Amino acid sequence: LLALKGAMASGAGSIQAVLDESIINHLWTIVPEVVFHNSFDCSSNKSLDLSKCLKKISLDHVDSLLIGPGLGLDDGNWEDFSETLEVFEGLLVFDADALNRLSFSKEGWAWFKKRKGTTWITPHLKEFSRLFPEIDISCPLKAAELAARNSGVSVLLKGAHSVIAAPDGSVKQLIDTSDLVARAGLGDLLAGFVAGIGATGMASKSELNFDLLAFAALLHAYASSSCEFGTNAGSIAQSLAKLYKEFQH
C-alpha cells in the first residue's frame, strides 16, 4: 500500500500491481485508481512467485517496473524469470526482497550487467551489505559510489542522509534532513515514488537522467520533514503528493 501511495504521489498516469488475491480484496477499496492483477499463486512460504507475476503484465506497455516491497523470499530459481527482466527496456527499480532474492542468487549483483534498460536500486544498509558483501559500508558515500561503478546501476542508499550514486561516478548526499526519513515504511513510500517519477521521465523523454533519481530522494526527504499531517509514512504520502503537485506548477 505504501509503495502504491508513493507511485500515486508521482502523478504517474496509470498504475498496475500484481498481488495475492487476499491482499487485493483489502487494497482495492483504499486505492481504487490502481489496476490490480491477481497472482493466483504463492510459493510454499507464502511469498509471491515472481515468474508468474511477470506474466500478468504486458511489459511492452510499462515504462517503469518496481519489484520488492512485500514480495517475500522464494524457493524458486532466479533464472526462472531473470531473462524477462534482462530484456525489459523500461526502468527497473529493485527494492527490499527483490534485492534480497538477487543477493541469494548464483549471479548476485553481477546480473545487473545483463540488463538492457536502466536500473535503479533503493537498498538500506543491511540490504546493501547482502548484495555487495565485498564493499565496506563504514562510509556510505564511498560504498554507494563503488557499487554504482561496479554494477552499472544507479544506487539510492537509503537512510537519514541518503546517498545517490550513478555508474559514471556522480554522487550526491542529502544533508540537513530529518531522521523521520528513516522511519519504518518510508522506504516503501520512496520506492514507489522513485518508480513513478522514473515512469514519467521515461514517458516524456524515453531516457533517464541521474538527477531525476536524486530529485525524487530530495523531495521525499523534504516531505518527511515538513509534513503537517503527521510523521507516519501514510501521512507523509499526502504531503509528498501535495509537494510534487506544487513543483509541477
Side-chain angles (χ1 to χ4, degrees), residues 13-244:
S14 175
I15 301 171
Q16 303 178 58
V18 182
L19 299 168
D20 180 69
E21 185 177 13
S22 62
I23 301 175
I24 293 174
N25 290 338
H26 293 287
L27 291 191
W28 77 265
T29 59
I30 304 173
V31 281
E33 302 91 342
V34 176
V35 176
F36 288 104
H37 302 278
N38 184 3
S39 68
F40 290 117
D41 185 46
C42 286
S43 67
S44 59
N45 60 3
K46 301 300 181 182
S47 62
L48 288 180
D49 185 327
L50 192 50
S51 60
K52 293 183 178 180
C53 289
L54 290 171
K55 294 178 182 178
K56 298 292 179 180
I57 303 175
S58 175
L59 293 181
D60 292 338
H61 299 91
V62 172
D63 292 307
S64 174
L65 178 65
L66 167 63
I67 303 178
L71 186 63
L73 294 177
D74 187 66
D75 302 327
N77 293 323
W78 181 264
E79 295 75 16
D80 291 343
F81 52 82
S82 59
E83 186 176 353
T84 300
L85 299 178
E86 289 166 18
V87 300
F88 173 55
E89 296 182 356
L91 169 66
L92 181 63
V93 180
F94 267 16
D95 182 58
D97 276 331
L99 295 168
N100 292 329
R101 288 192 185 192
L102 181 57
S103 299
F104 299 138
S105 72
K106 294 179 180 179
E107 294 185 86
W109 63 261
W111 174 82
F112 288 131
K113 294 182 177 294
K114 295 183 178 181
R115 278 273 298 143
K116 290 186 177 181
T118 301
T119 305
W120 291 349
I121 63 174
T122 58
H124 55 54
L125 276 174
K126 288 185 178 180
E127 292 163 348
F128 182 93
S129 293
R130 291 190 194 103
L131 188 59
F132 301 99
E134 72 283 0
I135 295 180
D136 179 8
I137 61 171
S138 59
C139 177
L141 196 69
K142 292 181 179 180
E145 179 184 6
L146 182 58
R149 284 184 182 276
N150 289 350
S151 65
V153 305
S154 291
V155 178
L156 199 176
L157 183 53
K158 298 183 294 192
H161 303 288
S162 295
V163 178
I164 308 96
D168 66 2
S170 301
V171 185
K172 299 179 186 292
Q173 184 169 29
L174 302 185
I175 59 174
D176 295 330
T177 56
S178 169
D179 290 342
L180 294 176
V181 177
R183 286 195 69 190
L186 266 294
D188 299 311
L189 182 67
L190 176 59
F193 187 61
V194 160
I197 289 289
T200 60
M202 286 293 294
S204 61
K205 297 182 179 179
S206 295
E207 61 181 23
L208 289 174
N209 189 301
F210 162 71
D211 289 336
L212 192 61
L213 176 59
F215 167 73
L218 177 61
L219 209 62
H220 171 269
Y222 186 76
S224 302
S225 61
S226 63
C227 180
E228 299 176 355
F229 311 111
T231 59
N232 63 303
S235 297
I236 291 172
Q238 300 179 57
S239 180
L240 184 58
K242 181 176 181 292
L243 185 62
Y244 185 55

